[in-house]
Amino acid sequence: MDRFVIRGGVPLHGEVSTSGAKNSALPALAACLLTEEPVILHRIPAVRDIVTMGKLLRRIGAKLELKAGALRVEVRSIASPEAPYELVKTMRASSLVLGALVARAGRARVSLPGGCAIGARPINLHLAGLEQLGARIHQEHGYVEAQAPAGLHGGAYSFERISVTGTEDLMMAAVLAEGETLLENAAREPEVGDLASLLVKMGAQIEGAGTSTIRIRGVARLHGAEHAIIADRIEAGTFLIAGAITGGELVVADCVPEHLTALILKLRQAGAEVAEVSPTSLRVSAPGPLRAVDVTTQEHPGFATDLQAQFMALMTQAQGSSLISETIFENRFMHALELMRMGADIRIEGRQAIVAGSSQLTGASVIASDLRASASLVLAALVATGETVIDRVYHIDRGYQRIEEKLARAGARIRRVREA
Ligand code: EPZ
């Protein structure tokens, strides 16, 4: 397993570019199952989760071809409407094929995702929604079987709690259903809107994506399309925090500033300067000492839970006490334990963490537990004195495209040590 070796203390300068969003590319790949015609996707990030989804699609019957930086996906027929445990256990987002397979093939057999480091992460809401659209659901031996041999019909479904991939899964189920579907309390994340724009290019009829109420009118079939994935707001946000925590001046290019409003507000409240230097780039700097600010994670457009761990690293460098409340997942403070080993002063009380800053962090050997926790450790290492070794960086490779190369180009002393 690869590891990162980082020597902190260098303010970052220059420019980093943002890749396409992993959490938009994953549902976009699942959407290719909905047509027998080829779909061309641009700006697919080269990250592990995409490789995993590619393996899953091939197993289902897709042909994938990388041509001149674009991914061509063609699913002429469904060979096996299944997502096996050995793939799903490595990536929960595999459940995104559920709705598309039932819509295209009339059935799906998907391994239940099981938990992961940050929480239980059930898919009960996905399944309840599919039942509303006429699917018969049966769970056995750790798998869920969804059947709709006569096809799905429209229906009305209100999410009892907001679910990003739940909304995406049901959108993909509904686009080929007979009649109209109404999804209420839907997720408003930009990735939901990006999936809807791809589906509409494929011939789907969708209104309201990006709002809490999405209306879908089923069509008989979808056709091929070409689509560029939106920028990864979480990667861009991670780099903004990297510029702030190192006290440098960094331009984050190729991003969508309006997807980062909640983070930008908190960075400014903490004393960092964030300026839009173009419609697709932001400049961050932190000339003076940072101030502690409180953060509560919420569904978009609130403060993203996927930026909570990174922001916690920043708050270890801020004067005063910051209260960080995690409302989305039940166990998303694993990074705090490792930050404490680097000298951070953090107290965990249930879903709240109190960060007392600022602390002079010192390099240590630490271990990554999940994707965003590992990003948090990288950020802490960039400002810690001495050397930090981060083990199990395969977690970070799941969602960040060569993060060490991007950071090194901005001046960070970071290198990847390949394990034999
Ligand atoms: C998506 O996960 C993202 N993943 C996550 O990003 C992100 O943290 C999360 O949304 C919240 O923004 C992808 O888009 C591939 P949810 P998802 O369904 O859809 C509960 C990353 O770092 N819930 O919105 O799985 C669930 O347990 C990853 O890139 C149910 O109870 O999250 C959680 O507490 C991590 N039943 C809450 O809802 C369900 O059927 C929100 O989950 C579904 C969800």
Side-chain angles (χ1 to χ4, degrees):
M1 284 180 242
D2 293 2
R3 57 179 62 169
F4 282 158
V5 177
I6 301 168
R7 277 190 310 115
V10 178
L12 299 186
H13 282 87
E15 180 170 305
V16 288
S17 73
T18 311
S19 302
K22 158 181 93 79
N23 289 349
S24 187
L26 290 170
L29 285 168
C32 298
L33 295 167
L34 291 162
T35 177
E36 69 281 357
E37 295 184 14
V39 177
I40 313 281
L41 296 172
H42 297 272
R43 210 175 174 187
I44 295 281
V47 297
R48 282 169 59 95
D49 274 6
I50 298 299
V51 173
T52 305
M53 185 59 107
K55 278 184 198 153
L56 175 55
L57 289 183
R58 281 194 190 87
R59 186 193 171 93
I60 290 171
K63 259 179 51 193
L64 291 92
E65 202 184 347
L66 204 52
K67 260 172 41 176
L71 187 62
R72 182 182 187 277
V73 186
E74 187 173 12
V75 191
R76 299 184 71 79
S77 64
I78 302 288
S80 159
E82 287 213 2
Y85 177 64
E86 69 265 15
L87 279 177
V88 174
K89 72 180 177 188
T90 65
M91 186 183 66
R92 183 187 176 286
S94 309
S95 56
L96 277 165
V97 302
L98 191 56
L101 282 176
V102 180
R104 171 83 184 274
R107 67 188 182 90
R109 183 170 183 272
V110 173
S111 165
L112 286 166
C116 78
I118 62 178
R121 306 193 70 188
I123 57 168
N124 58 312
L125 303 178
H126 301 228
L127 302 178
L130 281 173
E131 280 183 323
Q132 284 293 99
L133 302 185
R136 279 202 318 281
I137 303 290
H138 175 66
Q139 297 189 33
E140 202 173 35
H141 308 304
Y143 276 78
V144 63
E145 308 240 354
Q147 312 258 356
L152 294 168
H153 56 67
Y157 179 66
S158 177
F159 284 87
E160 64 183 88
R161 74 170 293 175
I162 294 170
S163 166
V164 177
T165 50
T167 302
E168 294 163 345
D169 218 353
L170 292 182
M171 256 182 9
M172 288 188 272
V175 291
L176 291 177
E178 178 79 32
E180 183 168 282
T181 295
L182 183 67
L183 298 180
E184 295 192 293
N185 200 23
R188 297 187 281 167
E189 271 67 6
E191 292 77 26
V192 173
D194 198 34
L195 172 64
S197 62
L198 166 60
L199 290 169
V200 166
K201 286 177 187 172
M202 294 169 69
Q205 294 183 16
I206 302 173
E207 284 165 17
T211 74
S212 301
T213 303
I214 302 177
R215 202 175 289 277
I216 299 147
R217 208 181 315 283
V219 294
R221 60 186 296 282
L222 294 182
H223 50 72
E226 189 154 1
H227 181 71
I229 301 293
I230 53 170
D232 192 318
R233 61 192 168 97
I234 306 302
E235 184 196 24
T238 305
F239 288 138
L240 286 176
I241 296 171
I245 200 171
T246 58
E249 180 169 298
L250 191 64
V251 172
V252 179
D254 310 313
C255 68
V256 182
E258 53 269 26
H259 291 167
L260 287 154
T261 310
L263 173 65
I264 292 168
L265 176 67
K266 286 296 170 184
L267 286 173
R268 287 174 175 158
Q269 286 175 351
E273 286 167 16
V274 184
E276 270 194 44
V277 288
S278 88
T280 58
S281 55
L282 291 161
R283 185 184 60 238
V284 63
S285 60
L290 293 167
R291 294 185 296 274
V293 291
D294 294 345
V295 161
T296 300
T297 63
Q298 281 158 336
E299 294 88 355
H300 195 77
F303 191 95
T305 173
D306 290 351
L307 287 169
Q308 177 259 106
Q310 299 91 313
F311 201 79
M312 184 184 287
L314 183 68
M315 286 298 101
T316 68
Q317 302 306 298
Q319 306 287 341
S321 177
S322 158
L323 176 66
I324 297 179
S325 307
E326 172 55 61
T327 68
I328 307 292
F329 290 110
E330 63 267 30
N331 183 34
R332 203 167 196 176
F333 287 140
M334 309 272 273
H335 45 286
L337 307 175
E338 296 299 297
L339 291 173
M340 286 187 241
R341 294 188 54 244
M342 296 173 75
D345 178 351
I346 303 170
R347 203 171 72 249
I348 307 288
E349 288 175 4
R351 289 197 174 197
Q352 293 193 314
I354 298 99
V355 184
S358 69
S359 316
Q360 176 51 60
L361 301 181
T362 54
S365 287
V366 290
I367 201 156
S369 55
D370 64 88
L371 168 53
R372 307 303 174 183
S374 37
S376 168
L377 297 178
V378 169
L379 295 172
L382 291 177
V383 73
T385 52
E387 183 174 278
T388 299
V389 179
I390 304 178
D391 262 330
R392 299 191 186 171
V393 291
Y394 63 82
H395 285 295
I396 206 163
D397 290 334
R398 292 188 55 174
Y400 290 89
Q401 186 169 321
R402 312 300 305 177
I403 192 170
E404 77 277 14
E405 291 173 10
K406 293 189 178 183
L407 289 173
R409 270 201 294 280
R413 292 179 299 204
I414 177 172
R415 63 190 168 85
R416 179 186 291 262
V417 174
R418 287 204 173 289
E419 285 305 305

